[in-house]
């Protein structure tokens, strides 16, 4: 996630408002336009090459879900926006992959822009992708940067029928999409939590500078998650309180559920942040403790041997008149003195609890 | 409490909303269904094997209290929910043991989800368990993860009669349950407070890395308590202001009392957090002080003996022409010089207050 | 104040709400019931042995002030509560000496619970005592844990007459009691401020671990003060805005004055907290500075003498062929070399500003 | 400003509310009563010995400004308060020089209490003085602790006429006084900002404990400023929104201007506080860096010479059978070995970037 | 940006409110007055020497944009203010280049004051300039301190026609100006973000005091940005909610867009601040780690060689009776002992993971 932290393509500045430019890094992804059309009895699913092929879905009696993978196909999206009457400023936001999550009620349609967060098992990093959802009368359009999403189980439920989804309308479908995204935040947070707990042991046992780097990386991840997750609370709250005709009364309890989940995600996130701070404090303390240990070792050795060396130095002097040198047991007396000093020092250190 | 910090079973993601899955760790607990039915005159208490056995209580004239221990019996709970008309999203929350404490007014019934916190005397850790309370017209249903709770004294009061509880209705019973849970927060906080005070002495006297680990564990406990306790404030506030017909006017002053207690719990919690921070600062300072002491010892020894050793070294040189070596009292003069150096150093250190 | 920080007698948990238990530490204090009864013309003052003796005051034409010292006499207080119609939950709060300061408008009477804070000159510690004030129609009842309070000047003013107090009603009396308590917060804060300033010098000159302990004790005192003082702001605000018939219009400006004072107390408290943080930072910095000084001393000594000792060591070697040893002035040349090294080192340290 | 930080004369506690006592430190200042009386055509200025001499100004047709320097003359101020009908609680606040800045709308008159802050060029400290302004119908009374204020330019404008001030009424005069005080906050903050920037260099180059003391003194100044400035925001806001008849509609835009300035002052203050924190962090870091440098020096010297000394020590031993000692070039071989060790160490340190 | 941090020219204090003084540092810039006048069909552009030349634009049928570069020409701006009826307090704010960003609705016209922030590629510093925008009925006046701005693309769009700008009125033009300024905040923040990431590597690898200085400079930049950007949020919010007749209904969605962008800018800014704090923590930790490494080196060397030197010292003593000295293999035995000690030490350090 590192390289995307402060993007918002500079080549946008100077352009008139409403200019459509894709600001993401996935130019080479292939465009894919797929759609569902369903009611309680039946459903149809298709993948079309041209955006114009989904235009008829707008006025069908059934609930329609159009999904676009690949935001670099600016002209196709512009055509879609034209047909469905989406304001150019909103299209600009949909294409600007650094857009802050937001919700806009345009009367005829609602626009919800969120971050879909996935844990990339390969490099142990979080992977964020912008998803925009347009909820109109009996249709939902979703925009993603690339293939692969968290909606597969929803598609499956539509195909299978049976559950609630085919009996409900477009508002329920939009709710399902948002719910799937918010549910994945829990997964992401759990993974970050696991990383934190792994790091914990390392910090306690061996606080090296690799642990420091990991702590810093985790901090970045948490900051990124926070940027993606916090605005969702306001979105969920506004959806819950919205008086838009597009949102049926039956959906309200589901929206409140999303709001609850968002609060819970934020709670977890803040707890993780507090734990991260605590872990960093522990890292610092452990580094200090290690230093203390090192210093104690040095001090013990130096304090014991420097005086002893001095005593040896005295009897290494070459004065002609040094009475002790001629004593019969001078040497052994000095050895005894040294042993005494040594033992005294050891007792001193034991008392100080340095040993 | 460690292993539950960031749970929310991942196998939930992808399931349609309202899917009932128990996410706790107590699969092996035995299900127990017990019930009270009482009015001012008499009461009956029973423990039944099948959930269907308590269904008649719904429409009895008396106040009914159904208590379920063991949330893994998903099918039984689903049946209960069906009979009492509890929304599937709420049942999902009741079974999801990582649910954030919350309160939902569904018109016909209120649902309150709380964390019951107990201090586990064995391992000195806090033990948290989710309790959900459904307050309907003349009945209360409570869900717990396992047997053993803080409600025993309430059961006793129902059995004994005499007090207020038998004269009051289901709303008072629900209040009593919530009150018992909130009252136990004080016990938990007092225990944490005691641990903090024990740690205090250890930090002041012997700030080793065991103390550091304890400080970190306490921080975790405080973070956990905060997650459980903070949302209760909002719940108590909403209960207090609720205009639900389920809550009688007489109960209002009791609910305000719970709100007051919650504020007090939060006050204590925040004070504990401030004290924890203060204690951690003191730990760091004491580690620094210890290091200072170690360094002073080293410096004193080295500063005294290194110069003396140098002097001894000079007269250990083997030059043929060293006049001092032949002096009669050269040796004693040098010993005197060394003593002088020694005393000078000692005075210097006394002045610096290092001794 | 140390031992009371996290009390709330555990033996309360499990009791039905409204059970009266005194939770303080002053069981052995003697109960004292005293009362004033006054109007503009005259006043009477008495001390009675039985609580029943003050019951007639309730319906007298004059303003009555009943003061109870000693909360352990639970039965007497229960009788009083019964006669004056005080709700049992409130009586419970009055007896629970760890009650958070609060204000409750019960229609017929107001209940205000505050902490009276006094500075104990003997041990330099703050002393906190719970005071509860019941303001009814033409009577005020005050509850204290023990004799000795900050109300003596109010009694004196009632006795002397002349001032405003005898011309005003019970609401003014209640205001005077609260005002006296809030005024004493200033005294307590000033004392803490003085302690902080005394500590300041000590931290600057001799940052030992005694100073650290004092810093920690001050932090505790500030946390305790905060717990006692912050809730008073809300109480004062609610009193100011109260529409209770018990509070006359003339009193409003006095209540606003109390609110202003409370804000000022909180301002002072927060400033003290900021200064405490600043002082702690300074303590840490000074410890670091001292360590730096110690290290410099060691480094200077070692850096000067270790190379010199090495030189002496070289000429202490016993090789048979060491030309310098036989030189006429070899010894003096080496001494000169050593002096040169010494001077060079000194210049180096001067340049580094270590000397 | 040091000695006034936590004052609020203790001899006030116990006095009935509304007792007038001057709590400042300027008892010996001489009382001065001066007044202006002006309309568009003419003005008169006088200095009178007795407070009674200004009483007639109350009912004159012109705008009157009465200024009192010296708050210790309690009896004079009491007389003034009596004649102009100022509430005794307000007079108490005016005399209490530790009053928090506040604004009170009493219907007939407004009372604004502020801190006038001046930079004392002599000792580089901030000097704070309480100024109280009473705005009545066509008169303004200002109270100051001593002569010398920031109002001289206003007096000059009244004398010169020509500008807006003579055409406007008392509300504009009051605005001018407040504006002059707020404008001086900028001067005070700029000076503190300059001190901070001076300190910056010192901290970067030579982080001694003098710099630490200066940092702490600056923190005190900032805390003091904060106490004086923050409440002004609320005052300005309430003035702006006030519906008092004393404040004309034309004045509103000026009051909004004061509000804007106050916000800007607070912005600057908070920025200064952030910079102070940053500077303190830098101080700590620099102390650590210096310590690192000291330790490196010690380590380099010790690491080079201790092994060399050991080698010399070996050949200083007096064993009878040490073959090397008799070698022809033994001495030079050992010297060579030592030079090799020395060079090896230097390369090692270069690699570690310690040199 | 350094020298402007705490300016607000002091020579302003004492002047009557509404006195026009330019407080910036660009006295020598040349004044330039340029204007656009356009409608959907045509446009004219001119640069005039005298301010009077643009007065006719006020009453033309077309949309007029007057741009003034150079605020030192106080008299010209005063004339302009007079003709267009701009309040003198606002003119004062426009000329005071340290004005906090603000928005004032004066009924006939709106005044918006912002900071235009540009990244100075030369010295890697942010460059801030005050821009004031007056939106009247069918005219916009913009004031800048000097030539060169972020509006060039807007001029180009007016010249080219075709786009939306020529079809819309003055309110859209004002929106475009504000939008261009806010868009440039992203550029500035991205550059600061890049600097932060560059610094990151340096801090990880070589945490010297140059990195510390850079960290401090970045902190200043972030504080400066915060001062400029935060108030824009309130401005954008008030514009969005404004009911001024000057702002057409069609513009509302654009204003909401600006509000969204501002929130996003603030989000980025706060994330940058959090990352800065994290980086500073990492700097401190790395300094500690380096110190640890230094200390370990010293300790290893000293701990190995000091005991060995002591052993050598013993056999360098000159006692007449030292049996070992006469042993045949005494010397080699001692060398062996030393080697053993050395190896033992090495194993000890390996075990401690210091090697």
């Amino acid at each position: 996630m590192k390289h995307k932290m402060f993007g918002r393509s500079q080549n946008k500045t100077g352009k008139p408002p409403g200019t459509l430019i894709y600001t993401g890094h996935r130019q080479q992804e292939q465009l894919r336009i797929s759609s569902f059309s369903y009611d309680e009895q039946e459903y149809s699913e298709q993948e079309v090459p041209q955006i114009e092929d989904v235009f008829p879905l707008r006025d069908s009696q059934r609930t329609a879900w159009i999904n676009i993978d690949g935001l670099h196909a600016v002209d196709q999206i512009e055509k879609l926006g034209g047909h469905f009457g989406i304001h150019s400023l909103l299209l600009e936001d949909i294409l600007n992959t650094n857009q802050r999550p937001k919700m806009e009620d345009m009367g005829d349609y609602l626009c919800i822009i969120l971050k879909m967060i996935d844990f990339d098992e390969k490099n142990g990093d979080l992977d964020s992708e912008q998803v925009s959802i347009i909820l109109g009368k009996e249709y939902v359009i979703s925009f993603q940067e690339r293939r692969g999403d968290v909606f597969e189980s929803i598609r499956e439920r539509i195909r299978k029928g049976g559950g609630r989804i085919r009996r409900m309308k477009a508002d329920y479908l939009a709710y399902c999409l948002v719910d799937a995204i918010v549910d994945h935040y829990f997964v992401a947070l759990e993974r970050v939590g696991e990383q934190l707990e792994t790091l914990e042991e390392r910090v306690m046992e061996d606080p090296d500078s690799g642990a420091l780097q990991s702590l810093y990386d985790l901090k970045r991840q948490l900051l990124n998650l926070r940027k993606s997750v916090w605005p969702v609370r306001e979105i969920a709250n506004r959806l819950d309180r919205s008086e838009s005709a597009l949102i049926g009364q039956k959906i309200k309890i589901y929206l409140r559920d999303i709001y609850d989940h968002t609060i819970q995600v934020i709670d977890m996130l803040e707890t993780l942040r507090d734990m991260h701070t605590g872990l960093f404090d522990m890292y610092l303390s452990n580094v200090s403790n290690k230093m203390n240990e090192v210093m104690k070792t040095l001090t013990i050795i130096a304090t014991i041997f420097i005086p002893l060396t001095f005593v040896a130095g005295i009897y290494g002097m070459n004065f002609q008149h040094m009475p002790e040198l001629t004593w019969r047991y001078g040497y052994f007396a000095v050895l005894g003195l040294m042993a005494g000093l040594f033992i005294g020092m050891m007792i001193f250190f034991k008392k100080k609890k340095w040993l």
Side-chain angles (χ1 to χ4, degrees), chain A:
Chain A
M1 257 160 135
K2 202 165 174 185
H3 58 289
K4 297 200 313 170
M5 201 131 191
F6 299 106
R8 184 176 196 273
S9 185
Q10 295 166 227
N11 54 356
K12 285 210 63 168
T13 29
K15 299 275 162 51
T19 308
L20 301 191
I21 294 172
Y22 170 60
T23 64
H25 301 272
R26 284 151 178 152
Q27 302 289 355
Q28 67 280 48
E29 293 279 338
Q30 209 188 315
L31 176 75
R32 186 173 64 171
I33 303 160
S34 57
S35 70
F36 272 94
S37 169
Y38 63 86
D39 57 16
E40 201 168 348
Q41 280 72 37
E42 49 187 1
Y43 85 98
S44 69
E45 182 179 359
Q46 57 177 343
E47 198 173 322
V48 296
Q50 290 297 319
I51 198 70
E52 285 83 357
D53 300 335
V54 299
F55 288 179
L57 288 173
R58 191 185 177 180
D59 306 305
S60 90
Q61 295 296 318
R62 297 173 174 179
T63 302
W65 174 21
I66 302 161
N67 182 58
I68 320 284
D69 291 324
L71 298 184
H72 55 283
V74 174
D75 56 332
Q76 300 273 313
I77 287 163
E78 200 160 13
K79 278 185 212 157
L80 183 78
H83 182 79
F84 283 86
I86 302 169
H87 197 286
S88 61
L89 280 176
L90 280 181
L91 286 178
E92 192 188 345
D93 291 342
I94 288 167
L95 293 179
N96 174 5
T97 54
N98 294 298
Q99 179 59 38
R100 190 178 185 261
K102 71 172 203 173
M103 184 270 219
E104 199 83 42
D105 182 350
M106 302 298 286
D108 287 341
Y109 58 93
L110 293 176
C111 175
I112 303 167
I113 301 180
L114 294 173
K115 301 292 175 191
M116 177 161 72
I117 292 174
D118 233 343
F119 194 85
D120 189 336
E121 301 286 354
K122 274 181 244 158
N123 55 16
D125 214 344
L126 295 177
D127 190 36
S128 169
E129 181 186 341
Q130 179 159 311
V131 175
S132 309
I133 296 164
I134 301 283
L135 166 62
K137 201 169 153 46
E138 286 321 288
Y139 67 86
V140 168
I141 312 173
S142 56
F143 300 87
Q144 305 181 44
E145 289 182 70
R146 49 166 190 190
R147 300 183 184 205
D149 55 30
V150 300
F151 301 148
E152 209 46 56
S153 70
I154 298 171
R155 291 194 190 90
E156 213 48 53
R157 274 187 268 150
I158 295 176
R159 287 180 198 125
K160 282 194 190 143
R164 209 179 273 111
I165 197 161
R166 291 266 291 277
R167 294 197 307 272
M168 308 284 275
K169 301 291 186 181
D171 51 359
Y172 186 79
L173 175 60
Y175 151 73
C176 285
L177 298 180
V178 175
D179 187 56
I181 290 170
V182 171
D183 260 17
H184 259 74
Y185 292 161
F186 286 100
V187 182
L189 283 170
E190 275 170 37
R191 294 296 162 87
V192 174
E194 284 162 16
Q195 288 187 329
L196 205 64
E197 290 185 353
T198 313
L199 203 52
E200 218 166 88
E201 281 176 45
R202 201 167 148 198
V203 161
M204 273 329 257
E205 280 162 25
D206 184 19
D208 58 2
S209 63
L212 186 59
Q213 179 69 56
S214 301
L215 273 169
Y216 188 69
D217 290 348
L218 263 184
K219 173 145 198 164
R220 283 184 83 111
Q221 285 195 4
L222 287 170
L223 283 176
N224 253 327
L225 274 170
R226 190 148 154 255
K227 262 173 73 180
S228 301
V229 168
W230 266 96
V232 180
R233 183 166 90 144
E234 198 199 327
I235 294 171
N237 192 22
R238 283 179 55 202
L239 278 174
D240 183 11
R241 283 154 203 259
S242 166
E243 293 174 5
S244 168
L246 293 162
I247 298 175
Q249 207 52 37
K250 283 198 236 163
I251 298 298
K252 284 288 160 129
I253 186 168
Y254 293 99
L255 295 178
R256 213 149 60 225
D257 198 55
I258 283 185
Y259 180 71
D260 277 359
H261 285 180
T262 317
I263 298 283
Q264 202 165 336
V265 167
I266 286 172
D267 256 32
M268 275 173 75
L269 186 59
E270 294 307 307
T271 305
L272 281 169
R273 279 164 53 89
D274 277 349
M275 283 179 61
H276 181 273
T277 307
L279 201 55
F280 184 76
D281 287 346
M282 208 163 71
Y283 175 82
L284 285 180
S285 311
N286 258 343
V287 167
S288 280
N289 280 336
K290 294 263 162 187
M291 175 116 62
N292 250 355
E293 209 189 326
V294 170
M295 292 306 307
K296 272 186 197 170
T297 308
L298 174 60
T299 302
I300 290 167
I301 292 289
T303 307
I304 289 174
F305 286 103
I306 286 180
L308 295 181
T309 305
F310 166 64
V311 172
I314 283 182
Y315 296 105
M317 293 194 293
N318 296 320
F319 285 98
Q320 293 181 2
H321 301 276
M322 288 177 68
E324 298 96 324
L325 296 183
T326 56
W327 292 355
R328 187 68 190 97
Y329 296 104
Y331 174 52
F332 301 101
V334 163
L335 284 188
L337 171 72
M338 284 170 171
L341 267 175
F342 182 84
I343 291 165
M345 286 291 179
M346 294 307 273
I347 292 169
F348 173 76
F349 289 129
K350 274 277 178 221
K351 246 187 181 165
K352 286 237 177 193
K353 288 194 186 160
W354 292 2
L355 277 178

